[in-house]
Structures are given as structure tokens and as C-alpha cells.
């Protein structure tokens, strides 16, 4: 079930029944999340476990036999009531989409630009040039916070009475999460209809000279088709996928307003190794005559943005973080102090969109400095999975004798040095707050111990020598020490991802060398630091062959030690589900 940490001997795998079992799913606590039913249905499946009959890996000197567990990454659509409704046709669609994923190394420098001129040809084939020109777009790039900013902006404008379209990435469970109409994931029926329309047209017109678009480009084209065909969409809010200048969303020539969220070091294998290069790529979304906003940036990055804006004859305005007092005691829908930065940018973008479209009469500006009611409502009801999200595991809780929740997951997509620091501050803050003011699902029993566990994953293009020290140091500064670290691989055990997908007939060999390297980095760091709650570095980390097996182990540990609550922060969740 697990690879041991450090020099400790690897235990023999536990015996288990050959009968497949399905475990219950953890449900987000109502006190932690405010989310529509369809989003809750997705989240219930996020940490779900489906255990097939045992099919152990081939034994090797470096890895013992382990049982198999499967996590369905992308299940077919959830009905409004939360039930999975996957169809055979939807499975076929997912298979077609999977065929567009390019099997190339992310660090291939040839990815930069990567035949950008093909996007114009795809737009011609799909006859999307004029429909895109008619869209009233809010366009947002950035390293950190661009998805949250887009989510806030969409929610504000929807609360002002407009019909909205939102395109974000990545998704966690279902690809339809990337396409929201009026705050809800696009229906399976609509998704299938628009998918085949785009797919069939492109298949007829593409070939050796014009290949089918890669995965993200196809999804961006699909978003443009959906938003332009849905006649009642008043505003389309688009999150850049990667970079800006050569991103598939940058075919929009005249957005209503542009925004650039916090910049930092990420995707350097594609965007460049300096903030100057990265900022230059992000500044590629700026357009002549289009108002632009950003947040406080590092000086070198800000100078690049200002220079590019000057070349285009536009000013780029710097937006401060939102003052919480402007919310009239309402909390932001997305948690974490860093979200006030994203909320401030979203307010500026939404306000400018309203102004440029002649709709400022829709809102009432108050005299006492707080935001209009529609803005407050939009900011407070915004929701986005995998951003500072708290998910108590109700399966474990239901099996305990009291009302406490001994296993809580703290989910975040942090995968850059800056976001690791921000997330560490958030985790330290909320776990201390939970201990001081327990909610209904986090009531602390007399004498209960609290155990902090890191569940970590990152792609091999990222540098754990930078990421993990940033996390450890920030947590240590806040007085938080980890009791254990668990490392899981990126790979899913499904070739095609969907609600009816089956495991491949031959068990795929899973390469854990990268996870073992992460474990080594972690333990080397611990040897240089003291105070890891008294545990030795040799017993402080484990490597699992899959996310489900790690979750199963956590659940079993929690059930066996009910006098200890486990607070598990899962970082790199987007790297797992991208």
C-alpha cells in the first residue's frame, strides 16, 4: 500500500478482500463552504475511492506488492441533484478530447508560440472571427490569482443582473467545470452538442498541413463557440491558460477590459527564467485602447507592464487589495487573506466593464465607502474548487462515536514559491482558528491531539528545492510543524477518464522515482531543521502509488487513532488533475 520513508523497512502489504467496495465520499461542511448543489456533487467525488479487485504491481527490489485503488478523475456530468449522469456519448467525447493531449515534455522550449498562426486558421474553419468580435470580454492573465479574479468578476456581474459566461482552467473532476453559464457548469447535453459541432468541422478541414488543435486550444475554441451561440450571454470572462501573448484566449482583439494578477515564477520552461520574460508574456494580452489593471507587482515586472502599456498608448492602473470594511462584514466566497488582492482587481474590472458598456445605472454607489450591494453579494457567493478549500471527511466522521471530525482536508493548487508561502500562511491561520473556535464539524474533544500532515504532488518541471523550503519556513514562522508528509504521483490509473471508464486490461507500471526524489528533498530539509513535533526524519514521510491509496491510508489512520485529529493540507492539486 505504501513505500516506506527514509531507511525504515517497508511493511508487508495488508491483506484485503477480493470483493470490490465503494466507500462513502467526504462532503464539504456547510460552515466551511457556500456552494451550489452541482459544485458540491463534484467535490463529493474529488476524494472518492473505488476499489477494484486486488491487482498488485509486479514485485521489484525497490517496491513491494501493493493493492490497487482507483480515483475517477473526470466523471461524466453531475445532475443538478448531484447524481452522476454519464452517457456513452459523453464518454466518447472525453475519449476524443484525450486524443488531443500532446505527448511532449512540458520543458520543451518549442512550446513557446507553438505554431500560433494556426489559431487564425481554426477560427476561420469554425467561422468564429465575427462572433468573437461581438463578445463583451473581460480578459485576465497572471501567475497567481487569475482564476480567482475571473470568478469574482463573473460573480459580481452576474449579481448585477447580467447573463455570464466564464472560462477557467484547470478542472478538477469534469471538463465541463471550465465552462460556466450563469454560474453553473454547462449541461452535459449542451456540451456534447457544441463539442461535436466544433470537432466535426475541424476534422473535415484539418490534416497534415493543419493538424487538429491541441487540447487547451480546442477547449478555448469550444468556449468561444459556446459563449457566442448562447445569445443571452452579456459578458464573457476569460482566464488565460498559460502566459498571455501566445495563449489560445488571446485571439480576442478588443476585450472590454484587461487585468493582470500577481506575477511570479511558474512555467519557466515555457515563459522564460526571469520576471522580465514572464511579465513580457503576460503583457501580451494588453490591447490598444483597452483599459488595463494590475495589482502591486515586483518592480522589474511592473516596469515591463508599464512599458508595454505605454507602447500601446494605454495606462495600466495599479489596484490595491480590497479593504474588508467595504464588504459590510460579509466574508469573501473564496478563503484566504490573499483573496482580497484578487477581489480588489475583480472589483476594478467589473466596474470598468459596467462603465464602458453604459450600465453604471445598474448599481447604487453608497456614501459611506462600502461597495454596492451587488458587488458585495457577488464577492461573497463566488466559488471555485481547489482554492483554499476546506473539506471535512464525513466518512471518517460518521464512523466516530462523537460529533468531531478527525480528518479534514485543506485543498489548494499552490505550485509556485509565492503561492506556497501564501498557502502556508492560510493553513497556519485556519488550523489555529479551528482549534480556538471549533465549528459543528470540528468540535475538539477534551485532550484531543492535532496532527498536521502534508499531502504533496508537483510536476517534475518544478523545483522542490525551492517549493518545499518556502512551505516549511513559512509554517515554522507561524509556529506550525508537520508531523508527516505523503507524496503521490501525477498519473491516474485510467487511460480514458470518465464515469464509465475501466482500468486498462494490463496493470500499468507506475514510476515513483520522482516521488521518491521529493521524499529525499523533504527529509534532507528536516535533517537541517529541528522541532518536527518530536518525530524523526526517517519516519516522517511516505510515498504512495496513487492519491486514493494515500486517502485510504489517512482514513484508516484516523479511524484507528480517534484521539488524534488529522489536518491534511493537499498542495499541488492542479498538477494532479491537469
Amino acid at each position: 500500500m505504501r513505500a516506506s520513508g527514509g531507511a525504515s523497512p517497508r511493511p508487508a502489504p495488508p491483506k484485503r478482500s477480493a470483493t470490490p467496495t465503494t466507500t462513502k465520499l467526504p462532503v464539504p461542511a456547510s460552515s466551511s463552504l457556500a456552494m451550489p448543489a452541482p459544485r458540491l456533487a463534484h467535490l463529493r467525488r474529488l476524494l472518492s475511492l473505488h476499489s477494484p479487485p486486488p491487482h498488485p504491481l509486479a514485485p521489484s527490489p525497490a517496491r513491494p506488492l501493493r493493492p490497487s485503488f482507483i480515483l475517477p478523475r473526470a466523471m461524466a456530468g453531475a445532475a443538478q441533484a448531484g447524481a452522476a449522469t454519464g452517457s456513452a456519448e459523453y464518454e466518447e467525447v472525453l475519449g476524443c478530447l484525450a486524443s488531443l493531449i500532446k505527448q511532449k515534455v512540458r520543458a520543451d522550449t518549442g512550446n513557446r508560440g507553438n505554431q500560433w498562426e494556426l489559431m487564425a486558421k481554426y477560427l476561420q474553419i469554425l467561422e468564429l472571427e465575427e462572433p468573437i468580435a461581438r463578445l463583451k470580454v473581460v480578459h485576465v492573465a497572471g501567475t497567481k490569482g487569475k482564476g480567482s479574479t475571473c470568478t469574482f468578476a463573473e460573480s459580481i456581474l452576474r449579481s448585477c443582473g447580467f447573463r455570464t459566461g466564464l472560462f477557467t482552467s484547470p478542472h478538477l473532476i469534469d471538463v465541463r467545470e471550465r465552462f460556466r453559464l450563469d454560474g453553473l457548469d454547462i449541461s452535459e447535453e449542451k456540451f456534447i452538442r457544441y463539442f461535436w459541432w466544433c470537432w466535426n468541422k475541424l476534422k473535415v478541414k484539418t490534416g497534415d498541413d493543419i493538424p487538429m488543435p491541441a487540447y487547451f486550444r480546442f477547449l478555448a475554441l469550444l468556449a468561444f463557440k459556446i459563449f457566442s451561440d448562447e445569445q443571452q450571454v452579456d459578458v464573457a470572462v476569460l482566464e488565460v491558460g498559460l502566459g498571455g501573448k501566445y495563449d489560445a484566449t488571446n485571439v480576442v482583439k478588443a476585450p472590454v477590459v484587461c487585468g493582470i494578477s500577481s506575477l511570479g515564477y511558474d512555467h519557466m520552461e515555457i515563459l522564460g527564467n526571469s520576471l522580465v520574460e514572464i511579465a513580457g508574456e503576460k503583457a501580451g494580452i494588453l490591447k490598444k485602447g483597452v483599459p488595463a489593471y494590475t495589482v502591486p507587482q515586483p518592480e522589474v515586472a511592473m516596469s515591463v507592464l508599464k512599458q508595454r502599456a505605454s507602447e500601446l498608448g494605454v495606462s495600466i492602473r495599479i489596484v490595491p487589495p480590497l479593504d474588508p470594511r467595504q464588504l459590510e462584514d460579509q466574508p469573501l466566497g473564496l478563503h484566504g487573506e490573499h483573496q482580497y488582492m484578487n477581489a480588489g482587481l475583480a472589483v476594478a474590472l467589473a466596474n470598468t466593464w459596467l462603465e464602458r458598456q453604459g450600465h453604471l445605472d445598474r448599481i447604487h454607489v453608497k456614501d459611506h465607502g462600502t461597495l454596492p450591494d451587488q458587488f458585495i453579494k457577488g464577492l461573497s457567493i463566488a466559488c471555485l474548487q481547489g482554492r483554499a478549500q476546506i473539506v471535512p471527511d464525513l466518512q471518517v466522521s460518521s464512523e466516530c462515536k462523537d460529533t468531531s471530525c478527525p480528518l479534514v482536508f485543506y485543498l489548494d493548487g499552490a505550485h509556485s514559491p509565492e503561492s506556497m508561502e501564501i498557502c502556508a500562511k492560510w493553513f497556519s491561520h485556519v488550523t489555529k482558528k479551528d482549534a480556538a473556535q471549533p465549528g459543528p464539524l470540528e468540535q475538539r474533544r477534551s485532550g484531543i491531539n492535532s496532527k498536521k500532515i502534508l499531502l504533496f504532488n508537483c510536476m517534475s518541471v518544478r523545483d522542490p528545492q525551492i517549493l518545499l523550503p518556502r512551505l516549511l519556513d513559512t509554517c515554522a514562522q507561524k509556529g506550525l510543524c508537520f508531523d508527516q508528509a505523503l507524496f503521490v504521483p501525477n498519473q491516474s490509473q485510467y487511460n480514458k477518464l470518465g464515469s464509465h471508464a475501466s482500468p486498462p486490461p494490463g496493470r500499468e507500471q507506475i514510476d515513483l522515482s520522482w516521488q521518491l526524489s521529493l521524499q529525499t528533498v523533504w527529509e534532507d530539509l528536516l535533517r537541517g531543521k529541528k522541532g518536527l513535533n518530536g518525530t524523526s526524519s526517517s519516519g516522517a514521510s511516505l510515498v504512495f502509488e496513487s492519491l486514493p491509496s494515500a486517502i485510504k491510508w489517512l482514513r484508516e489512520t484516523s479511524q484507528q487513532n480517534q484521539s488524534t485529529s488529522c489536518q491534511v493540507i493537499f498542495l499541488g492539486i492542479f498538477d494532479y488533475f491537469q
Side-chain angles (χ1 to χ4, degrees):
M1 180 175 70
R2 57 180 178 173
S4 65
S8 303
R10 300 172 187 251
K15 296 180 180 179
R16 53 175 295 203
S17 168
T19 303
T21 59
T22 302
T23 63
K24 297 179 182 179
L25 313 179
V27 182
S30 58
S31 60
S32 301
L33 299 168
M35 186 175 293
R39 312 299 291 170
L40 283 172
H42 284 324
L43 196 52
R44 290 188 184 102
R45 298 201 301 271
L46 171 60
L47 299 172
S48 65
L49 292 174
H50 169 71
S51 302
H55 192 152
L57 295 172
S60 70
R63 183 169 59 205
L65 294 175
R66 305 185 189 92
S68 165
F69 306 100
I70 293 176
L71 175 69
R73 268 177 49 189
M75 301 179 71
Q80 297 300 306
T85 61
S87 66
E89 186 175 13
Y90 189 64
E91 295 301 321
E92 184 180 359
V93 165
L94 293 179
C96 292
L97 276 175
S99 72
L100 300 179
I101 298 175
K102 304 301 182 183
Q103 300 301 319
K104 67 191 301 182
V105 179
R106 282 282 299 274
D108 180 0
T109 55
N111 286 346
R112 189 178 297 187
N114 197 15
Q115 297 182 294
W116 167 249
E117 67 280 359
L118 287 175
M119 281 301 296
K121 298 184 185 298
Y122 298 142
L123 295 180
Q124 292 173 1
I125 292 172
L126 298 176
E127 301 175 332
L128 285 174
E129 300 102 322
E130 290 186 12
I132 289 176
R134 291 193 295 268
L135 289 175
K136 309 302 181 184
V137 171
V138 176
H139 200 193
V140 182
T143 304
K144 307 179 299 296
K146 60 184 185 293
S148 299
T149 298
C150 286
T151 300
F152 279 134
E154 181 276 335
S155 189
I156 290 171
L157 293 172
R158 176 161 40 90
S159 296
C160 289
F162 295 98
R163 305 296 300 273
T164 61
L166 174 65
F167 178 60
T168 59
S169 60
H171 63 274
L172 292 187
I173 303 296
D174 193 315
V175 69
R176 294 183 295 110
E177 297 168 27
R178 298 177 184 238
F179 312 85
R180 287 201 218 174
L181 295 170
D182 295 326
L184 297 175
D185 299 347
I186 187 172
S187 69
E188 185 178 300
E189 181 273 327
K190 280 187 178 181
F191 184 82
I192 290 173
R193 174 158 48 89
Y194 284 121
F195 173 86
W196 287 127
W197 188 93
C198 293
W199 180 268
N200 292 334
K201 276 185 170 292
L202 288 166
K203 273 294 186 182
V204 170
K205 298 288 187 178
T206 55
D208 293 337
D209 295 334
I210 305 177
M212 282 289 286
Y215 182 78
F216 182 80
R217 287 184 178 178
F218 183 92
L219 294 180
L221 293 165
L222 183 57
F224 289 128
K225 176 61 179 175
I226 292 169
F227 297 157
S228 60
D229 261 29
E230 292 291 316
Q231 298 298 324
Q232 294 178 320
V233 168
D234 300 308
V235 53
V237 183
L238 307 178
E239 177 193 359
V240 166
L242 191 155
K245 182 177 181 180
Y246 297 115
D247 188 73
T249 62
N250 205 31
V251 296
V252 177
K253 296 180 179 178
V256 176
V257 62
C258 292
I260 297 178
S261 64
S262 298
L263 298 180
Y265 293 97
D266 195 19
H267 302 297
M268 289 159 334
E269 74 281 3
I270 298 173
L271 304 179
N273 292 315
S274 68
L275 274 182
V276 170
E277 292 176 286
I278 292 171
E281 292 290 326
K282 308 291 185 182
I285 71 165
L286 302 181
K287 304 292 189 300
K288 186 175 182 179
V290 177
Y293 294 87
T294 190
V295 297
Q297 306 282 7
E299 185 176 349
V300 292
M302 186 64 76
S303 64
V304 173
L305 299 182
K306 289 181 177 179
Q307 179 181 345
R308 181 56 182 159
S310 177
E311 292 168 357
L312 294 169
V314 298
S315 62
I316 184 165
R317 303 176 188 178
I318 303 172
V319 182
L322 183 69
D323 187 336
R325 292 174 294 184
Q326 293 182 276
L327 293 170
E328 296 182 344
D329 297 324
Q330 291 295 313
L332 291 175
L334 305 182
H335 302 289
E337 289 298 314
H338 60 288
Q339 292 294 359
Y340 287 98
M341 184 81 74
N342 302 324
L345 179 57
V347 166
L349 296 173
N351 190 72
T352 299
W353 189 91
L354 290 168
E355 180 181 9
R356 297 198 76 202
Q357 294 302 302
H359 294 307
L360 281 178
D361 58 337
R362 294 269 190 122
I363 60 175
H364 174 65
V365 179
K366 302 174 183 177
D367 295 330
H368 48 82
T370 60
L371 293 173
D373 290 339
Q374 300 98 320
F375 279 50
I376 294 175
K377 178 183 177 182
L379 291 168
S380 63
I381 66 173
C383 63
L384 190 61
Q385 292 188 62
R387 276 78 166 182
Q389 194 166 19
I390 304 173
V391 186
D393 190 332
L394 296 192
Q395 175 185 326
V396 173
S397 179
S398 66
E399 297 174 5
C400 292
K401 296 180 179 179
D402 52 36
T403 59
S404 66
C405 187
L407 178 59
V408 182
F409 292 93
Y410 298 78
L411 311 180
D412 197 82
H415 55 259
S416 70
E418 297 85 0
S419 58
M420 293 290 277
E421 180 177 339
I422 290 171
C423 189
K425 292 177 179 177
W426 165 71
F427 182 58
S428 301
H429 174 73
V430 294
T431 51
K432 288 180 180 178
K433 182 179 178 182
D434 286 347
Q437 299 175 327
L441 286 172
E442 291 102 6
Q443 292 177 4
R444 299 292 178 252
R445 290 160 286 185
S446 176
I448 194 170
N449 297 315
S450 177
K451 192 174 184 179
K452 307 295 189 295
I453 299 175
L454 170 66
L455 180 57
F456 186 76
N457 167 66
C458 75
M459 292 162 57
S460 58
V461 295
R462 310 199 193 282
D463 188 352
Q465 299 278 7
I466 297 176
L467 298 180
L468 292 176
R470 196 75 164 260
L471 173 70
L472 271 175
D473 290 343
T474 304
C475 285
Q477 291 168 12
K478 299 295 181 179
L480 185 148
C481 295
F482 287 100
D483 297 272
Q484 203 149 29
L486 315 179
F487 300 96
V488 294
N490 293 351
Q491 296 92 336
S492 166
Q493 294 177 22
Y494 282 103
N495 290 336
K496 182 168 75 69
L497 305 172
S499 63
H500 299 297
S502 301
R507 177 58 181 262
E508 182 181 356
Q509 189 82 358
I510 299 176
D511 181 7
L512 294 176
S513 58
W514 175 244
Q515 284 64 48
L516 293 170
S517 297
L518 294 175
Q519 181 187 44
T520 299
V521 171
W522 176 264
E523 295 189 351
D524 286 345
L525 287 170
L526 296 185
R527 291 188 185 97
K529 300 177 184 294
K530 296 182 179 180
L532 187 72
N533 292 3
T535 61
S536 65
S537 60
S538 62
S541 64
L542 297 168
V543 169
F544 291 84
E545 69 171 20
S546 68
L547 174 60
S549 60
I551 293 173
K552 183 175 187 294
W553 181 85
L554 286 164
R555 285 173 169 162
E556 291 174 348
T557 300
S558 295
Q559 290 163 349
Q560 294 167 4
N561 301 278
Q562 294 187 17
S563 62
T564 300
S565 67
C566 294
Q567 296 170 310
V568 183
I569 182 168
F570 182 10
L571 296 180
I573 190 169
F574 292 158
D575 277 0
Y576 188 90
F577 290 101
Q578 269 181 334

